[in-house]
Amino acid sequence: LPQDPMDFEWSYWIEWGRERILWLLAGHLLVSQVSRLLVEKYKPWCLMVYGMAACWLLLGIKGFAVILLHATISFAVAQFQLSLLTWLCSLILLSTLRIPVVEETKRKWYDTENEYYLLLFTVSVRCLFCTSFSLEYCWHGPAQKSSHSFLWMLAYVFYYPTFHNGPLMNFDEFSKQMRRQEAFNLKTNLGILIVGIIRIFFWWCLAELMIHLMYIHALYSSASPLAAASYWALGGLALAQVLFFYVKYLVLYGVPALLLQMDGLKPPTLPCCVSLMYSFTKMWRSFDVGLHRFLVRYIYVPMGGSQSSLLGTLSSTALTFAFVSYWHGGQSYLWYWGALNWLGVIVENGVKRILSISLIQDLI
């Protein structure tokens, strides 16, 4: 049966994976295991050099220069140790991805749109990594500055398994785990690799079956079948859409998560099955765990979070969802999506507070 081509993200990453990215990830795995076996102390720098070489190979010298420039500017601004200034720098760097003149210039660097989009996606994810490092730099004292050097920033930013699409791992977690030296066991690692490959292959087959049998995205791209469908059918299509999204990210995050394990790091937990979720709050906490940790640590908690007044909680939650919408592209439909998610979280937490009142509990 023909494949449903309407899910751009799946088609895009599978095509890049087959062509180059999987081979480069295999090269990372080889460098990682050899460095763990022979020069454990220098593993971060070996992986950094490999990541920079892989970036140069895929994105060219100009793409590599853009990412290096972003990292350099972020590090320079972080020297002032002002969180607000760091955030301002991050938002400005992120906004440069949406300036038409800059977009056109970058497009001219490449022969195809796919190559330009690879740079765009990579720089978007790298912006989050640069922000994480810079804020950790601002928050740590002079005694800890050696662990927040520019070299460590490059090792973090150019770490290849998470380079193009994530998952996101905060710098404090990355540096602590990367510095930890463990006894290397080739047999154990080989077992983890084989089991991991089998699981990812199963998820990939399941996603391909859904793409070739269900045509969810093709149905969504045409108004006539949606207009003719009953509400129950539309609900079923919506469930099928999020189930495919879940399986897709088991593959897209499962591959880098396996390599993180092979490097001796603990990856963010893979997405929880959407069929087990019944709340907006749980969805945000357990689907993209890396992004959730980033948002909580660098936006929600510094803005007051749940420990502040009701108005403070509402504003910190709103700011968190506003950043998510802007980072994803800032189109109007993303603002609606962020606002509806914000409303869902607020309503759930409001109901939870009401139900915690002793009188209401007695009535229940």
Side-chain angles (χ1 to χ4, degrees):
L1 292 171
Q3 176 180 323
D4 179 355
M6 299 307 294
D7 187 79
F8 169 78
E9 192 175 33
W10 178 256
S11 304
Y12 182 83
W13 289 117
I14 291 298
E15 184 182 340
W16 268 109
R18 286 171 178 163
E19 284 184 4
R20 293 188 188 177
I21 291 178
L22 276 180
W23 299 105
L24 289 171
L25 289 173
H28 169 94
L29 179 62
L30 181 62
V31 171
S32 166
Q33 299 311 292
V34 170
S35 60
R36 288 190 74 186
L37 185 64
L38 302 176
V39 284
E40 176 76 21
K41 186 179 177 182
Y42 301 103
K43 181 182 72 173
W45 320 124
C46 294
L47 297 181
M48 177 192 76
V49 171
Y50 181 84
M52 294 173 89
C55 172
W56 192 318
L57 179 67
L58 268 189
L59 301 176
I61 180 63
K62 293 178 180 176
F64 172 78
V66 166
I67 294 170
L68 188 60
L69 181 64
H70 275 232
T72 305
I73 292 171
S74 297
F75 185 79
V77 172
Q79 303 306 302
F80 294 99
Q81 295 189 276
L82 296 170
S83 298
L84 188 60
L85 190 61
T86 293
W87 265 116
L88 185 62
C89 171
S90 298
L91 291 172
I92 290 171
L93 289 174
L94 197 57
S95 69
T96 60
L97 302 178
R98 298 168 179 83
I99 299 172
V101 177
V102 177
E103 284 183 339
E104 286 306 311
T105 303
K106 289 177 181 175
R107 273 192 168 93
K108 290 174 184 176
W109 296 347
Y110 302 105
D111 298 326
T112 64
E113 281 283 294
N114 273 1
E115 291 174 293
Y116 164 71
Y117 280 128
L118 186 65
L119 175 66
L120 182 66
F121 298 149
T122 304
V123 174
S124 297
V125 176
R126 292 307 94 200
C127 279
L128 297 185
F129 279 69
C130 289
T131 304
S132 175
F133 176 90
S134 300
L135 289 171
E136 294 294 340
Y137 187 95
C138 293
W139 295 345
H140 286 78
Q144 295 168 300
K145 291 304 177 208
S146 60
S147 60
H148 293 73
S149 64
F150 187 60
L151 263 182
W152 268 105
M153 184 181 197
L154 293 181
Y156 175 57
V157 169
F158 284 98
Y159 181 67
Y160 194 68
T162 61
F163 191 67
H164 298 294
N165 194 40
L168 187 57
M169 191 176 187
N170 294 340
F171 178 73
D172 60 325
E173 298 170 4
F174 175 84
S175 61
K176 284 174 189 173
Q177 293 177 33
M178 191 62 84
R179 289 170 190 279
R180 188 179 60 222
Q181 295 187 13
E182 297 175 333
F184 179 72
N185 190 316
L186 185 60
K187 188 177 178 181
T188 303
N189 262 23
L190 190 60
I192 292 170
L193 180 64
I194 291 168
V195 171
I197 288 173
I198 291 169
R199 290 178 72 195
I200 292 166
F201 181 72
F202 170 75
W203 296 329
W204 174 76
C205 288
L206 183 57
E208 285 291 322
L209 277 172
M210 294 173 82
I211 281 283
H212 283 83
L213 294 175
M214 298 180 73
Y215 304 102
I216 314 154
H217 306 91
L219 285 167
Y220 270 117
S221 67
S222 177
S224 53
L226 295 179
S230 68
Y231 288 123
W232 280 106
L234 291 174
L237 280 170
L239 178 60
Q241 173 94 345
V242 293
L243 284 170
F244 177 78
F245 192 76
Y246 159 64
V247 176
K248 173 171 68 176
Y249 269 87
L250 284 180
V251 177
L252 297 183
Y253 279 177
V255 174
L258 176 60
L259 291 174
L260 281 162
Q261 279 185 285
M262 297 295 290
D263 291 346
L265 309 179
K266 184 181 179 182
T269 309
L270 289 178
C272 180
C273 180
V274 291
S275 294
L276 301 175
M277 297 182 194
Y278 54 87
S279 75
F280 283 95
T281 309
K282 186 179 179 183
M283 183 73 174
W284 278 98
R285 283 179 180 168
S286 56
F287 193 87
D288 192 336
V289 175
L291 180 60
H292 174 259
R293 288 175 182 169
F294 177 92
L295 296 171
V296 169
R297 182 169 176 81
Y298 301 121
I299 302 177
Y300 185 69
V301 171
M303 289 299 296
S306 59
Q307 303 304 312
S308 60
S309 63
L310 178 61
L311 186 61
T313 303
L314 290 173
S315 60
S316 55
T317 310
L319 197 62
T320 302
F321 281 109
F323 175 76
V324 171
S325 300
Y326 182 69
W327 178 71
H328 274 90
Q331 290 88 349
S332 57
Y333 72 89
L334 288 167
W335 292 111
Y336 297 138
W337 168 72
L340 288 169
N341 275 275
W342 172 77
L343 187 62
V345 169
I346 292 303
V347 168
E348 282 176 3
N349 284 302
V351 171
K352 195 181 291 183
R353 287 190 180 190
I354 292 169
L355 293 178
S356 65
I357 299 169
S358 56
L359 179 63
I360 302 295
Q361 287 184 341
D362 291 341
L363 286 171
I364 291 171

